Amino acid sequence: MSEHLVDLDRYFARTGYTGPRTPTLEALRAIARAHVETIPFENLDVVLGRGVDLALPAVERKLVDHRRGGYCFEHNSLLLAVLTQLGFTATPLGGRVLMRRPRTYTPARTHLFLRVDLDEPWLVDVGFGAASLATALRLATEEPQATPHEARRLVRDGGLLYNQIQYPGDPTWHDMYVSDLAEMPAIDREVGNWFTSTHPSSHFKQQLIAARAFSRGGETGRITLENRELTIRHLDGRAERHTIASPDELLAVLAEQFGLELPPGTRFACPTLTW
């Protein structure tokens, strides 16, 4: 564990979590849900060419103090530190993202998620974009598991674990990522972060992305932004879509829908964001 300690009061003020600070399954699930409903997934610093600093003080400053978001290495690194300080036994694991890809495709090992050991092992992942988990999944079963959003399951094949999702109204199970459940030490996270945030072929260098879960007015769903396309999805399968018309409207959407305040006149340069 890093010598730096997260200010838990500030972190919980950021997420709105007011429950017990004890290492229990109930607290774990509630902390994960509060996190994904308040701290957005986003890659703005990558497309702005600023880079991503994984030092824990920098991650805390960005996600908590500056009320920004980030991607898996930032989200799950912060949650790892928080859970460890609360007395949980948590381990960082690495995975390969397969979303919209066949299993014959072998991507880089650039996803970070967590294993949390209580009475049995649990998977926690608050950093997977529009499919970030708002709960914890049992690692010891292949049965479908309910979440506040989509159904999920963890299936094993040839010594590998596949994290799958089932969207409302779609009977198909879709692979999200695959993992051998090996620990991902800090040096591997640094290498994965460097590739993800700087390599020209990185998905995060190609387009602007923001996402968060929501619960409001008795409804639960997800809000996602890919370049100029804003989508609000509801649990019943309804989707509201809006195409953003200008760079200034994009800044307004980032502020209103994701709480991401950027200076007026900010412009993003990535190949798939065109006006």
Side-chain angles (χ1 to χ4, degrees):
M1 178 179 169
S2 168
E3 292 182 0
H4 176 79
L5 295 178
V6 172
D7 186 320
L8 295 178
D9 289 338
R10 294 209 315 271
Y11 171 76
F12 288 130
R14 170 77 164 107
T15 65
Y17 175 76
T18 58
R21 299 185 184 187
T22 51
T24 65
L25 178 59
E26 179 181 17
L28 178 65
R29 285 174 161 162
I31 290 168
R33 182 166 187 172
H35 186 115
V36 301
E37 290 185 352
T38 53
I39 306 180
F41 183 96
E42 49 107 332
N43 69 330
L44 304 186
D45 281 350
V46 176
V47 296
L48 287 169
R50 296 173 179 172
V52 175
D53 187 348
L54 291 190
L56 185 56
V59 173
E60 180 183 15
R61 186 164 52 249
K62 178 181 176 183
L63 274 61
V64 177
D65 299 334
H66 296 169
R67 304 188 70 81
R68 285 284 309 281
Y71 56 21
C72 68
F73 292 114
E74 298 165 283
H75 279 279
N76 286 318
S77 291
L78 178 61
L79 186 61
L80 174 65
V82 168
L83 295 179
T84 302
Q85 286 178 222
L86 292 175
F88 288 93
T89 299
T91 305
L93 306 181
R96 303 177 189 274
V97 176
L98 289 176
M99 194 171 183
R100 303 170 188 162
R101 299 278 192 173
R103 290 190 179 181
T104 53
Y105 174 72
T106 304
R109 190 168 177 255
T110 56
H111 184 57
L112 172 68
F113 62 103
L114 307 178
R115 169 181 171 143
V116 179
D117 290 295
L118 294 166
D119 56 329
E120 60 179 302
W122 296 83
L123 184 152
V124 180
D125 187 354
V126 296
F128 199 74
S132 295
L133 277 168
T135 188
L137 298 179
R138 293 179 62 204
L139 268 170
T141 181
E142 295 190 9
E143 293 298 315
Q145 301 183 57
T147 80
H149 301 95
E150 310 83 3
R152 303 293 281 265
R153 71 178 183 182
L154 306 171
V155 297
R156 288 168 172 76
D157 184 10
L160 298 175
L161 183 83
Y162 290 84
N163 187 316
Q164 296 185 321
I165 191 169
Q166 187 181 55
Y167 296 106
D170 181 357
T172 304
W173 286 96
H174 301 271
D175 291 335
M176 294 286 97
Y177 54 88
V178 60
S179 176
D180 58 8
L181 298 181
E183 183 170 355
M184 193 178 203
I187 185 60
D188 289 350
R189 303 198 296 271
E190 287 288 350
V191 171
N193 177 61
W194 174 82
F195 176 89
T196 302
S197 62
T198 66
H199 198 280
S201 68
S202 167
H203 173 67
F204 292 101
K205 292 287 287 184
Q206 299 296 314
Q207 60 183 329
L208 184 148
I209 302 168
R212 71 172 179 85
F214 70 85
S215 294
R216 63 190 183 197
E219 283 198 281
T220 299
R222 295 187 185 275
I223 305 173
T224 60
L225 175 67
E226 291 189 13
N227 295 318
R228 296 172 56 196
E229 300 303 316
L230 179 71
T231 304
I232 302 176
R233 297 185 183 277
H234 303 266
L235 282 187
D236 60 8
R238 288 180 299 119
E240 305 164 33
R241 295 182 173 86
H242 172 69
T243 299
I244 297 168
S246 70
D248 287 337
E249 185 187 358
L250 175 58
L251 293 181
V253 167
L254 288 169
E256 294 166 7
Q257 298 291 348
F258 303 97
L260 299 170
E261 301 276 356
L262 287 97
T266 299
R267 297 294 182 261
F268 304 98
C270 51
T272 55
L273 179 59
T274 57
W275 303 99

